[in-house]
Amino acid sequence: MHPTPALTVRTSTGRHGELRGLDLTSRSSQFEGRFGRMFRTLPPAEFNQEILMKLGSKMTADFEATPTPETKPDDEENSGISAGYTYLGQFIDHDLTFDPASSLERQNDPQALIDFRTPRFDLDCVYGRGPDDQPYLYRSDGLHMLLGDPLTGNDADTKARGVPRNRPQPNEPARALLGDPRNDENVIVSQLQSTMLRFHNRMVDTLGSSFDDAQRMVRWHYQWVVLYDFLPTIIGQDTFRDILPHVAKNTNPLKDPPVLKFYKPVKEAFMPVEFSVAAYRFGHSMVRPQYRLNLNMADRLPIFSKAGPSLVGFGAFPSTLAIDWSLFFKMGDAPALGPKRVQPAYKIDTSVVNPLGSLPPSVASNPASLPQRNLLRGWRMHLPSGQSVAEAMGIEPIPNDQLKVGKATEADTAGNQKLTELSPLFQDNAPLWYYVLAEAQQQFKKNETPIHLGPVGGRIVGEVIVGLMLADTHSFLRQNPLFTPIESFQSKSKKGEFKMVDLIRQAMQA
């Protein structure tokens, strides 16, 4: 095997995108540490750097000089998933992988084979280490979260605020004051962070109780959204109900507990590399090249731009860019086309938009291509092939002639190149991240076909999310399985329902 180049990501706040100890997972003598494996007995897939770089380039869509206008259907859009779930998924990832380990702890364990924290859905990316240890994240009462400057542009949200920021010196960038600095890496996830801050403040005002009580209720409502809104949207109802039989039976988790066939921690919950390095990176294919943030914008903004404004974060952005979340999540009646529509995510397929194939130097380098980075990282982590994982799960692997590279559109499907035509090394030996995307793409029939994760990718993502929540003794699933969201917070149209849109509606009142 050829040596793998270093994968470097740079941000204004330091290294980003690397997980401590991840590269030693394959050689760790410990069964479970910071990271572990769901399929420990499977051999690593054998590739070389050249063919992975070639595949990464092939998975990058061509540059579109003239993007599809809002008034016309975009064949790459996914009718089954709205754009907000792309960034909710990013927020969830940051919550799970945030590492507040001190520099002393890192010196004591430079290889990070032992995790200093169990991955949990606990919003430590919002709360940091709490009001006693990080008081600058909170108002002087120690109850409410500190908010940033007012934002305009969304006429439906006159209380919109950004994240709090500090400017060390007059000519330096305004740094976000956050529990996790990664939640400022783009304008959209930054405002998702501020939405969670406002939701906490709304909870404090509603309960009128202690910080601990409010924090617990915020976490439980957030976990409810992850479990009952985000997860079925991404993995599909069939896989969701197979993992959580109480949903289909209309019972409760005590009577019909979750079914975890492959994620089975022996000691403590751990982060499987099959999840973190492959399956959960499905969201990269969902990213759109540009987004409309509100109706007062003259046009949409690109995610990256070498010249001109974009959605790149790690610094203050124009105060006129308050997000209208009804353009990202279905919050009511909306037209199918035009500026007022709910922007769909792009399809989960084996193609990512062109800007992700050439990330700006401030974000990543060596290589700057996100698909190439994902493929090389999977190889470096000694991940098994997608076919071997499918077989281990008792799922028939996708035939080689059905594994292709390219967009899931009527115009592109017929001409998409077979994976094995790129290299014979891919015969029955597809990289796991690619395979998860290609598996989802098998659902494609026509441009309007909704696409979610398939049986392999969906099962990995579903079991890990449910398993991590089940392992957390402070989660509602363990501490109070019969919990339901506050009645006044629930959807007005369906009793007992509480989705991300309902969380947003409550946050907008703070």
Side-chain angles (χ1 to χ4, degrees), residues 59 68 72 96 109 317 329 350 465:
M59 293 178 70
T68 304
K72 294 184 178 180
L96 284 177
D109 181 25
F317 52 82
F329 295 96
T350 54
I465 286 180

Side-chain angles (χ1 to χ4, degrees), residues 135-284:
Y136 52 85
L137 298 179
Y138 298 81
R139 293 185 193 169
S140 58
D141 62 7
L143 293 174
H144 293 81
M145 304 300 301
L146 187 66
L147 301 177
D149 293 335
L151 298 177
T152 63
N154 178 11
D155 297 335
D157 186 8
T158 58
K159 299 180 180 180
R161 304 285 287 273
V163 297
R165 297 182 183 277
N166 174 51
R167 191 182 300 276
Q169 297 293 332
N171 295 326
E172 291 184 1
R175 298 177 181 174
L177 299 175
L178 305 177
D180 184 345
R182 293 175 301 172
N183 279 356
D184 192 38
E185 67 184 18
N186 62 67
V187 175
I188 300 175
V189 76
S190 178
Q191 292 194 58
L192 192 56
Q193 171 87 6
S194 62
T195 296
M196 295 304 301
L197 299 177
R198 295 172 68 189
F199 182 67
H200 168 88
N201 291 348
R202 170 64 173 162
M203 187 67 73
V204 170
D205 294 339
T206 299
L207 298 181
S209 59
S210 68
F211 172 80
D212 289 341
D213 288 342
Q215 182 189 53
R216 180 174 61 255
M217 290 302 288
V218 169
R219 285 172 169 169
W220 284 5
H221 282 74
Y222 160 68
Q223 291 167 3
W224 184 279
V225 167
V226 172
L227 198 64
Y228 294 119
D229 183 13
F230 176 77
L231 195 56
T233 300
I234 296 302
I235 70 176
Q237 287 291 340
D238 290 344
T239 302
F240 176 69
R241 296 185 176 213
D242 191 33
I243 296 173
L244 296 172
H246 75 276
V247 174
K249 297 179 181 179
N250 196 27
T251 55
N252 65 70
L254 288 174
K255 184 175 182 180
D256 293 293
V259 178
L260 304 182
K261 298 178 180 178
F262 308 104
Y263 181 65
K264 298 179 178 181
V266 174
K267 299 177 183 177
E268 295 182 351
F270 66 94
M271 181 66 71
V273 289
E274 297 91 341
F275 172 89
S276 62
V277 183
Y280 199 73
R281 293 175 183 253
F282 67 87
H284 294 164

Side-chain angles (χ1 to χ4, degrees), residues 480-500:
N480 186 4
L482 302 182
F483 163 79
T484 56
I486 295 173
E487 187 173 356
S488 61
F489 283 17
Q490 295 175 18
S491 171
K492 303 300 182 184
S493 60
K494 186 175 181 181
K495 183 177 176 58
E497 183 177 85
F498 182 79
K499 294 187 174 183
M500 190 61 196

Side-chain angles (χ1 to χ4, degrees), residues 4-82:
T4 306
L7 300 177
T8 306
V9 184
R10 300 185 181 90
T11 71
S12 60
T13 56
R15 291 177 65 85
H16 172 68
E18 286 295 286
L19 300 172
R20 283 192 308 120
L22 191 58
D23 57 338
L24 298 204
T25 302
S26 62
R27 301 193 296 276
S28 173
S29 60
Q30 301 179 41
F31 181 88
E32 293 159 7
R34 175 166 173 76
F35 293 88
R37 295 181 181 274
M38 295 177 71
F39 306 98
R40 298 178 61 236
T41 61
L42 295 182
E46 294 291 338
F47 305 112
N48 61 56
Q49 178 180 330
E50 180 182 358
I51 65 167
L52 292 178
M53 294 289 282
K54 184 177 181 181
L55 174 58
S57 295
K58 192 71 176 179
M59 293 178 70
T60 305
D62 294 335
F63 174 74
E64 292 185 351
T66 306
T68 304
E70 296 169 290
T71 54
K72 294 184 178 180
D74 186 340
D75 296 344
E76 297 178 65
E77 293 177 340
N78 187 353
S79 64
I81 303 177
S82 60

